[in-house]
Each structure stands twice: as structure tokens, then as C-alpha cells.
Amino acid sequence: MSLDTSRFIAEHVDALKPSGIRRFFDLASTMDNVISLGVGEPDFVTPWNVIEASYHSLEQGYTAYTANAGLMELRELISDYLKTTYSVSYRPADQVIVTVGASQAIDIALRAILNPGDEVIIVEPCFVAYASAVSLAGGVPVSVGTKAENGFKLQPEELESAVTPKTKAIILCNPNNPTGTMLNREELLPIAELIEAHDLLVLSDEIYAELSYEADYVSFSSLPNMQDRTILISGFSKSFAMTGWRLGYAAGPAELIQAMTKIHQYTIMCAPTMAQYGAVEALRSGAASVEHMRKSYRQRRNFVTSAFEEMGLMTNRPGGAFYIFPSIKETGMSSEAFAEALLIEEKVAVVPGSVFGESGEGYIRCSYATSMKQLTEAMKRIKRFVEKQQA
Amino acid sequence: MDKKEIEILELLEKNGRMDVHMIARMVELSVEEVEAAIRKFEEMQIVHGYSTLIDWTEVRGYEGVTAMIDVKVTPVRGKGFDDVAERIYRFPEVKAVYLMSGAYDLSVSVEGKTMSQVARFVSEKLSTLDTVISTTTHFILKKYKHDGIIFGEDDNNDRRMPVSP
């Protein structure tokens, strides 16, 4: 008789739903010649100077562990970068930790702050991992939806109505994945006031900060009285096209960063050394590459926005990141049915909005981090598909 | 020149055949504005022409060699290097001429059907100019990268998974 291994799986893990992106990935993987707008990562290869610096570190024999919180040199550069770019000051020694991607930073931040039953507010539609990361850390995710008519911008009164005595923190992603929405200073200030009034903590996911196209980007941590209440989370994946390197960081109040470091040291030890040396080079001399990529994404953003408008698919003009989130409500299909039919009939992969939370239903996420050639063809095919649905 | 005009030039430099409708969308101008800008660039001789980057080594039946020639010359009083440069760049075999700092004065790129044809050009036409002191000819054996384009690189070499978070 075979062993029933399922009974060994922890209940809170068993209760997790598999990511909707995963299901869609499995479907798209079985097909050939698919144009993918489902990719949540840059189409650029990591800048060559970064790759070369990482090679060099290996040649020099830097293959051992680093300090748990990361190379001091890298933490100093992260600290300098945050100061010069976003006007927020962090001590490299005890307020910055280098992690295995921003995802790990989110995980250890939540594990460091949550007691069982603590609530964490999540602003939907959002990155697929937030709710599960909260659950895995013993917390309870509480969703606040945003609406297209508000440009998918979080409304302070809606945030306030979700706060309960159990609320401990809120996760904000600015610019947002999947909508591309970017909140400016005026829009962030009332949120900050609420955070303070209700004595909450903010996990500010700023992984797309470098990829903002309009007004100057404002880090949540730089708002009045917010630095003590913010764990700023970012990394190298999106801005430096380093997704596979798995390198991120968190900066915040020393006590919180030290608590996170405890979890980090017992589970991960330290982020990969060669990736950290690559990141050192990225911060030292990667600015021109970032600028080049941002310019290219902005041109593509302009192109896809006008293409969707022309098709009559209502869309919010994304302020940052590399996603656009057009409405498909006109077609009368669910986002999942739309994405599946589009994949099968026209071989274009997009991600159904529903996987990013309930408020994502009726929309699709299209990543424009792909070549203009691919984008042009994809827009042609989507247009043909939409016209067929409306006929 | 404003930012958007520079952006149009950058796009054209990468792909001279890029459709004006696409450029207009990418830089958020009307088609008419983009057309007018391009006309202006042509009139101002900022845009000198639209060429195609061809990797001739991939073309079967085509024979050709390229040489880079370092040329030392005696500058002419009152005219500097311009006079001799002109006498060189007027030859149709010559594809490029640059005035250089360092060990020699002019860098001349010459194309021919065969090595002996290029050699003959150097020995009979170039070296015999009275201001030319010496020439050193380097034949290009293989082109890895030209005008910012890496030859042989696959355009569709996207290693990403079809769908990712």
C-alpha cells in the first residue's frame, strides 16, 4: 500500500491556491510560436558590465559566504543610491539587508512582524504572491480593491474602511504590477496620514521605481513621518534586467531589519556572492543602461496604449512598470475565457486579470517588455480577435 | 533640437525603415509632425541617407574584402589634412576616411573584390600620392560587430518562459 503523503502537508500550505499564472504558463508552454505578453520580466539581457563584474569576482575567488546582511560594499552603495535617488537615508550597517530577490524581502518582512491572526491589507489588483506570503507568515490577507474609474489608484477612504484592530500592515506596490498605476506625492500623502493615524506599518514594494515614466517618483519612505513606519523593498530584477540573479534588498528601521536578518541567517544565510558583486557594478555604473531601458519601455508603453485605445479597449495609461491592464468587459467574456481563447485562436499569451485578485476581473495584463516587432504583431492579432468577438 | 526630435533620430538610426505611424505612436506625436521632422532632418543634412547593414559573409556567391589602412601623411600648409583626405575619399573604393590622433594620421577603409585588388589600390593609388609618407594595411578577417549590431546574433533569442510572474 502506498503511503498517503498528503497527510504530511501542513494545513496552511495545503490551503494555498496554486497561482493562476502557473496554470496559464502550463497551457502556453504546450504551444509553439506563441507571442508572449505574459512575461513579467525585462526582455533585455543584464547589462554586460554587470555580467563581466560577476565573472571577475569568480575569477578572483570570491566564492565564499558574505555577511548575512550582504556585502558591506553593496549595502553602502544601496544606501547611497536610496539617498541620492529618493532622498531617504539608511545606515548600511543595520538598516539595509540584501536578500534573494525582493520576494524574499517580502517574505522575511512579513514573518518578522506577524503574529498569528494579524491582518495585512493588500491593494488589489496586485502581484500574485502577496496574499500567500501573508498566509504563510501566519497572517490574514485583507483585500482592498481599486477601480479603473479611479485609475486603479488606492482611495484613502476605502483603505480606512478595511482597517480593523487586528490590522498591522499594508503592502503597497508603486508603480503597480499588474496595472502600471503610479501614485504621486499628492495621492500618497493622505494614505500616509491614515497609516500614522492607525499606527500601521507599510511594506513598500518599490521594485518598479526606476521604471516610472511621468512625474518624479516618490518613495513612500520619504513622506513625512513615514521612514519609521516603512520597510522599503526593492531589487535589481526589473530595473537592471537581473531577474534570474535573484537579488533584492530591504531598508527600514534598524529593529525591523535586525528581526528580518535573524530569519534570513537561519534560512538563507546570505544572498549569492557572485550576484552581489554583479549588483555592486550595477549600482556603480549601470545608470546609463537603466536610462536606455526606461526610454525603450516608455516608447513601447506609448505604442501599446494607443493601439489598445484604437481597438476600443478602455485602458488606463500606465505611469510605470512595463504592464498595461486594458478592460475586456466590452467582449462580455471573463478575463480567463478571453485569455484562453486569445491564446488558442491567435497564439498571443496575456495574463487574465482575475489572477491578480477579484478586482482584476474584466481586465488582462499585457507586458510590453518585448520587441517592437513582437508588439506590433501581437496588437494586430489582438485587434483581429476583438473584432471577431464583437462581430 | 528638442527631446522628441532626438528620439526620432535615435529610432531612425536603429532602423531607417521604421514606419512613421509607429514612430508617431512611440514618441507621442502626430504622423504629420513626424514626417515634417524627418523632412527637416534631411534638408538640414542631419540625415544623410538610409543604408542597410548587410552581413556579406552570409551571402553566397558574393566575394569581397575590406581593409583598414593606417596612413601617415604630410599635412599641407594652410590646408592641414583636408586636402589629402579629399584626394583619398574621392576614390570609389574608399568607404570611410577618419582623421586620427596617435601613431598615424588617417584611417582609410577600402573595399574590393579580392585582396590583390585592394593591394593594387594601396600600392598604385594611395601610396603614390605625394603627401602620403607610409601605409599599413590590415585586412578584416571577420566582422563580429558593426555599427552597434552584433553579427550572427539571433533576434528571436528570447530565453524567457512564455508566462512569468
Side-chain angles (χ1 to χ4, degrees):
Chain A
M1 199 176 80
S2 65
L3 183 68
D4 175 19
T5 47
S6 64
R7 72 185 176 85
F8 292 108
I9 297 170
E11 284 166 18
H12 70 292
V13 175
D14 200 34
L16 289 181
K17 276 188 294 182
S19 156
I21 284 192
R22 184 75 230 171
R23 197 189 78 79
F24 221 72
F25 167 73
D26 291 341
L27 185 63
S29 299
T30 59
M31 301 173 65
D32 290 330
N33 305 320
V34 168
I35 295 183
S36 183
L37 308 183
V39 186
E41 59 185 319
D43 59 321
F44 296 97
V45 175
T46 306
W48 180 251
N49 57 327
V50 175
I51 296 175
E52 212 278 331
S54 184
Y55 282 170
H56 183 69
S57 77
L58 291 174
E59 282 166 356
Q60 297 298 303
Y62 292 122
T63 56
Y65 294 129
T66 68
N68 291 129
L71 285 169
M72 184 49 90
E73 190 184 5
L74 178 56
R75 281 183 278 159
E76 281 168 356
L77 284 163
I78 290 169
S79 168
D80 291 347
Y81 165 81
L82 291 174
K83 189 165 192 175
T84 50
T85 318
Y86 305 118
S87 310
V88 283
S89 247
Y90 290 100
R91 287 189 304 273
D94 60 353
Q95 294 191 309
V96 177
I97 178 173
V98 178
T99 57
V100 179
S103 309
Q104 194 225 344
I106 291 165
D107 178 39
I108 59 176
L110 289 167
R111 284 203 272 165
I113 62 168
L114 294 182
N115 291 315
D118 283 347
E119 292 178 358
V120 177
I121 293 176
I122 286 163
V123 185
E124 280 187 6
C126 67
F127 176 48
V128 292
Y130 293 154
S132 300
V134 171
S135 302
L136 282 170
V140 179
V142 175
S143 297
V144 174
T146 54
K147 299 183 189 80
E149 52 264 39
N150 299 321
F152 292 109
K153 289 177 178 176
L154 174 63
Q155 304 299 300
E157 58 278 10
E158 289 178 8
L159 169 63
E160 184 151 42
S161 65
V163 176
T164 75
K166 288 184 179 171
T167 310
K168 197 159 204 179
I170 169 171
I171 305 179
L172 278 180
C173 180
N174 190 35
N176 180 272
N177 168 12
T179 61
T181 295
M182 194 174 94
L183 299 177
N184 62 28
R185 191 179 170 84
E186 285 64 42
E187 290 153 347
L188 288 170
L189 278 173
I191 296 169
E193 280 167 23
L194 275 177
I195 301 288
E196 197 175 9
H198 291 282
D199 193 21
L200 304 178
L201 195 69
V202 176
L203 267 60
S204 182
D205 183 349
E206 305 189 9
I207 190 82
Y208 294 101
E210 281 280 9
L211 306 180
S212 47
Y213 308 115
E214 308 296 342
D216 283 345
Y217 180 77
V218 174
S219 170
F220 200 83
S221 177
S222 70
L223 299 171
N225 306 327
M226 283 301 111
Q227 188 160 359
D228 290 344
R229 295 186 174 275
T230 304
I231 300 177
L232 192 165
I233 290 160
S234 192
F236 297 84
S237 294
K238 314 292 180 177
S239 49
F240 291 100
M242 290 171 68
T243 47
W245 297 63
R246 306 314 303 126
L247 208 66
Y249 57 86
E255 297 76 15
L256 296 177
I257 295 296
Q258 295 322 300
M260 288 165 67
T261 308
K262 267 197 236 171
I263 304 167
H264 180 76
Q265 76 182 1
Y266 290 128
T267 51
I268 297 287
M269 205 82 80
C270 67
T273 303
M274 57 187 167
Q276 292 192 53
Y277 279 104
V280 164
E281 175 64 19
L283 286 177
R284 276 218 182 107
S285 53
S289 302
V290 175
E291 180 54 35
H292 167 72
M293 292 189 273
R294 176 174 40 227
K295 194 169 188 177
S296 182
Y297 290 136
R298 184 169 46 74
Q299 289 169 345
R300 301 175 199 180
R301 186 270 315 251
N302 297 342
F303 174 76
V304 293
T305 305
S306 64
F308 276 119
E309 278 166 2
E310 212 167 81
M311 290 177 216
L313 295 192
M314 280 286 293
T315 185
N316 286 283
R317 185 185 160 80
F322 37 59
Y323 307 109
I324 188 161
F325 206 60
S327 167
I328 47 98
K329 288 177 181 168
E330 286 282 296
T331 63
M333 302 166 90
S334 71
S335 63
E336 191 142 332
F338 182 97
E340 199 161 328
L342 178 65
L343 180 62
I344 291 163
E345 290 177 33
E346 292 287 353
K347 294 198 168 183
V348 177
V350 299
V351 183
S354 56
V355 313
F356 304 102
E358 261 175 48
S359 55
E361 181 50 52
Y363 301 86
I364 50 169
R365 186 189 79 173
C366 302
S367 158
Y368 48 85
T370 192
S371 71
M372 281 301 297
K373 196 167 139 193
Q374 295 271 60
L375 284 175
T376 311
E377 179 60 26
M379 292 302 130
K380 211 188 293 174
R381 293 187 194 182
I382 296 175
K383 187 174 184 218
R384 190 163 57 204
F385 178 78
V386 170
E387 280 168 356
K388 208 157 60 180
Q389 305 311 313
Q390 289 166 342
Chain B
M1 193 86 27
D2 68 25
K3 266 189 179 171
K4 291 202 175 181
E5 287 179 317
I6 292 172
E7 225 173 313
I8 295 171
L9 284 171
E10 287 171 344
L11 290 170
L12 285 176
E13 190 181 33
K14 253 185 267 167
N15 177 7
R17 295 186 64 196
M18 190 178 269
D19 180 55
V20 284
H21 292 84
M22 187 184 277
I23 297 175
R25 284 177 166 188
M26 289 169 81
V27 304
E28 300 188 291
L29 288 174
S30 68
V31 173
E32 293 72 28
E33 285 170 314
V34 173
E35 282 171 341
I38 294 174
R39 247 191 333 269
K40 186 176 90 175
F41 302 147
E42 288 168 350
E43 281 162 12
M44 290 171 76
Q45 293 209 359
I46 290 170
V47 169
H48 284 267
Y50 302 87
S51 65
T52 308
L53 202 60
I54 297 169
D55 184 357
W56 285 108
T57 58
E58 292 295 315
V59 181
R60 288 177 69 180
Y62 175 84
E63 284 177 33
V65 287
T66 306
M68 306 288 295
I69 305 160
D70 312 340
V71 186
K72 282 187 191 168
V73 301
T74 313
V76 179
R77 193 183 179 112
K79 297 200 168 161
F81 293 98
D82 296 353
D83 232 29
V84 62
E86 182 175 357
R87 289 190 68 180
I88 294 172
Y89 67 60
R90 292 286 177 197
F91 285 109
E93 300 89 329
V94 173
K95 298 298 168 193
V97 178
Y98 309 105
L99 180 62
M100 309 293 287
S101 66
Y104 55 96
D105 305 306
L106 296 173
S107 174
V108 178
S109 163
V110 173
E111 280 178 16
K113 277 210 159 35
T114 60
M115 278 169 83
S116 61
Q117 197 183 55
V118 172
R120 210 161 46 242
F121 171 78
V122 175
S123 60
E124 292 175 7
K125 300 282 196 299
L126 198 57
S127 308
T128 53
L129 291 170
D130 50 9
T131 51
V132 170
I133 302 165
S134 73
T135 62
T136 310
T137 304
H138 312 274
F139 283 100
I140 291 177
L141 302 181
K142 183 173 181 177
K143 276 188 191 171
Y144 293 100
K145 189 176 183 181
H146 188 81
D147 273 359
I149 304 291
I150 297 172
F151 283 179
E153 198 168 55
D154 185 0
D155 198 24
N156 298 316
N157 196 14
D158 193 342
R159 293 190 175 87
R160 298 174 302 169
M161 299 184 296
V163 175
S164 74

